[in-house]
Amino acid sequence: MTSIDPVTLSVLKGRLEQIADEMDATLFRSAFNPIIAEAHDASHGLYDAKTGDTLIQGKSGLPVFVGAMSFAVKAVIDKAAAAGEVPQEGDVYIFNDPYDGGTHLSDFKLVRPFYRNGELFCYLASVGHWHDVGGNVPGNYNPVATECFQEGMLIPPVKLYDKGELRQDIITILQANSRLPGSLYGDLNGQLNALDLGVQRLHKLLDEYGETPISETLVELRKRAAQLMSSFISELPEGRYAAEDWLDNDGITDEPLKIALDMEIRDGRMTLDFSRSSQACAGPVNIARSTTVASCYVALKHIFKDVPANAGVLDPIDFVIPEGSLLSVKAPKPVGGYTETILRVIDVIFVALSQANPAITNGCAYGTINALSLAGHRKDGRRWVMFSFFGGGHGGHPDGDGLNHGNAPISTATIPPLEILEAAYPVRFTQWALRPDSGGVGAHRGGCGAIYELELLEEKAEVFLFGERGKFAPPGVAGGSEGAKNLFKYQQDDGEHSPPMASKMVGIKLTKGQRLHLETPGGGGYGQALERDPKEVGEDVRLGYVSPEAAHEDYACVVDDQGRPDMNATEALRRERVS
């Protein structure tokens, strides 16, 4: 039993989280590429000295890294142990191996042992999405990769700093394998500065409170997270619940891939069994086991919001993820499109939990980041690579409608602003708007997707798209309907075209003035459509979220163009629909 009183525990929890938050802020302010600086595709935290388990994570970092980064730190611990070494003060390890550390090759992890009075106290770690790490496709989202070698350079855990001495040869190798070595160097130094700040802040906290109270706090926070998670599970009806969803294809063969979940609730524990999911595929929508576990954490944290962000959340969870499935692959299977697959894992957890208790879950979000890359050369010969992701609608929920034009639920990242993209790259956005009638129908409507259209300003460029939900729409729950599907079009000299695999394409050549057009999915609805208040439907019409025609067809509401409902006509129409 801990000797720390509740007030001190709360204060130390806040101070520890502040360290990770400051590390996040340091990188966001100093990174060179917009995916980190603007979209906040990065994370920092403190990790257990023996196991690598997550102790503390910043509130601004990506939640998916809570699970994945513990595997990354453990990979460093295991590598040192295999070599008969102990990480030393001043060491910094760097790597992007997605099979040990999770996610994909674009996410570079830095792990630094933290020593206090000559003893290893914990690890500090930083992860950030670098702009370009080689491979066949600028920006690294290669939808037709069949090996990880086609997705970028793969770096196993190596020492960037050895007892405080920089190994410049490692940086030279990294820069030589990127189309944007300056951006890489800037992001790397931003992560190193964040780790330096974390070390300073943690020493200051330990100077103030001492090692024992901080250690006891970290143990107690994990214990409480596990207890709280177990109590939430115990409140669910015991039983088995099943859900399945589909990926459009793997980018190589135009056949759907199944993500299936069998969830069991029993004795305060939850088992997540993915045995019925598809086998590993040729294309890059495979993920490593560590990534699957991390995505399950994200889904559960969405549902059980009060649980602290540490490894204790997963203590009452048992995982069944068979080797050889697309949710548990080894090298060299490609994993570059991991974002699309983990979004589907999150979706099946939402749907399964809606069967156990619809009052705590929500319709599925739009379910794809629509990773878009444009690349070319400027008139002076300089290479440019634009990589960005795009938003869509979130699912309706028991307390209201889904968020319009939000970011994917794997993260707290933000969609890069169009002003930043236009300033950095030779493109102009000719449309950036909400997509009407894209949210799933329900008592609580799914959020609207978005419409993006951009025009090329340089003489020529190549375009690459890695998306999903072009064939299988985001599901609703508790009687809510699906959101709209993903839609992508591009101009060529002979007219307008769509990708042959609906959501993926490589090497499309654009010339100056030609445009790309993307309409992202809306979120799934929640509850029965005829239970929606006609006044809310009228407000949707007034705001442009729902057309008068869709109000009539989907909600049995008679509404004029200004959003004014005819209550008598609506009541008559609804009676007719029910009869």
Side-chain angles (χ1 to χ4, degrees), residues 298-367:
V298 174
L300 294 171
K301 190 70 171 69
H302 272 283
I303 302 300
F304 306 113
K305 302 176 181 63
D306 296 331
V307 179
N310 65 54
V313 172
L314 298 179
D315 286 353
I317 312 295
D318 298 310
F319 296 93
V320 181
I321 311 170
E323 291 289 332
S325 84
L326 86 165
L327 303 179
S328 183
V329 300
K330 304 289 187 184
K333 281 288 186 182
V335 294
Y338 90 100
T339 50
E340 309 306 294
T341 307
I342 67 174
L343 286 169
R344 213 59 69 250
V345 170
I346 292 171
D347 288 344
V348 294
I349 292 177
F350 285 170
V351 172
L353 280 170
S354 75
Q355 299 165 19
N357 183 1
I360 64 170
T361 189
N362 48 262
C364 297
Y366 64 107

Side-chain angles (χ1 to χ4, degrees), residues 383-398:
R383 189 69 178 271
W384 65 274
V385 177
M386 170 185 156
F387 171 79
S388 190
F389 49 82
F390 297 92
H394 282 228
H397 51 88

Side-chain angles (χ1 to χ4, degrees), residues 88-89 114-121 203 211:
Q88 298 297 307
E89 188 167 7
F114 176 86
Y115 275 81
R116 179 75 175 178
N117 298 324
E119 297 289 332
L120 181 61
F121 186 81
H203 274 305
E211 289 83 356

Side-chain angles (χ1 to χ4, degrees), residues 107-239:
D107 294 333
F108 261 82
K109 293 95 173 171
L110 273 66
V111 178
R112 177 172 176 172
F114 176 86
Y115 275 81
R116 179 75 175 178
N117 298 324
E119 297 289 332
L120 181 61
F121 186 81
C122 69
Y123 286 89
L124 303 177
S126 169
V127 56
H129 181 121
W130 289 4
H131 205 150
D132 185 273
V133 296
N136 288 8
V137 170
N140 307 115
Y141 267 82
N142 181 359
V144 296
T146 56
E147 294 180 308
C148 60
F149 309 111
Q150 298 161 355
E151 298 178 310
M153 57 176 162
L154 193 158
I155 306 297
V158 295
K159 287 184 183 179
L160 179 64
Y161 277 85
D162 189 353
K163 298 178 183 177
E165 293 293 322
L166 174 66
R167 295 183 59 187
Q168 182 61 44
D169 54 341
I170 300 296
I171 296 179
T172 302
I173 291 170
L174 295 173
Q175 288 187 289
N177 282 278
S178 173
R179 296 171 180 85
L180 300 169
S183 175
L184 179 153
Y185 188 71
D187 293 342
L188 171 60
N189 278 281
Q191 288 182 257
L192 289 169
N193 289 337
L195 291 175
D196 283 343
L197 181 73
V199 167
Q200 294 171 22
R201 294 290 190 264
L202 188 52
H203 274 305
K204 182 178 179 181
L205 182 63
L206 289 164
D207 288 343
E208 186 174 348
Y209 284 91
E211 289 83 356
T212 299
I214 302 300
S215 296
E216 289 183 355
T217 295
L218 293 170
V219 171
E220 184 65 17
L221 290 175
R222 173 171 183 155
K223 177 182 175 183
R224 293 191 177 201
Q227 289 174 338
L228 188 57
M229 190 67 190
S230 182
S231 71
F232 283 141
I233 294 172
S234 297
E235 293 173 0
L236 296 171
E238 291 194 344

Side-chain angles (χ1 to χ4, degrees), residues 516-539:
L516 306 171
H517 184 92
L518 175 64
E519 297 187 18
T520 65
Y526 181 94
Q528 299 293 333
L530 296 188
E531 295 177 4
R532 187 167 180 80
D533 188 333
K535 293 180 181 178
E536 293 181 342
V537 178
E539 182 68 1

Side-chain angles (χ1 to χ4, degrees), residues 9-125:
L9 182 68
S10 180
V11 169
L12 291 178
K13 175 179 179 290
R15 290 285 298 272
L16 287 162
E17 288 175 347
Q18 180 65 23
I19 292 172
D21 288 342
E22 286 194 62
M23 294 166 72
D24 284 342
T26 297
L27 178 56
F28 298 156
R29 292 172 182 171
S30 59
F32 277 35
N33 96 73
I35 299 302
I36 296 178
E38 297 293 336
H40 296 177
D41 194 345
S43 184
H44 297 83
L46 280 63
Y47 301 86
D48 187 87
K50 294 181 179 179
T51 65
D53 287 346
T54 303
L55 301 173
I56 294 290
Q57 190 202 20
K59 293 184 288 293
S60 299
L62 268 65
V64 71
F65 290 135
V66 173
M69 283 302 290
S70 64
F71 287 94
V73 176
K74 187 175 187 302
V76 169
I77 295 171
D78 290 346
K79 174 164 184 176
E85 302 174 353
V86 175
Q88 298 297 307
E89 188 167 7
D91 288 350
V92 176
Y93 290 81
I94 185 170
F95 68 108
N96 69 337
D97 187 333
Y99 307 99
D100 281 337
T103 67
H104 61 167
L105 294 174
S106 297
D107 294 333
F108 261 82
K109 293 95 173 171
L110 273 66
V111 178
R112 177 172 176 172
F114 176 86
Y115 275 81
R116 179 75 175 178
N117 298 324
E119 297 289 332
L120 181 61
F121 186 81
C122 69
Y123 286 89
L124 303 177

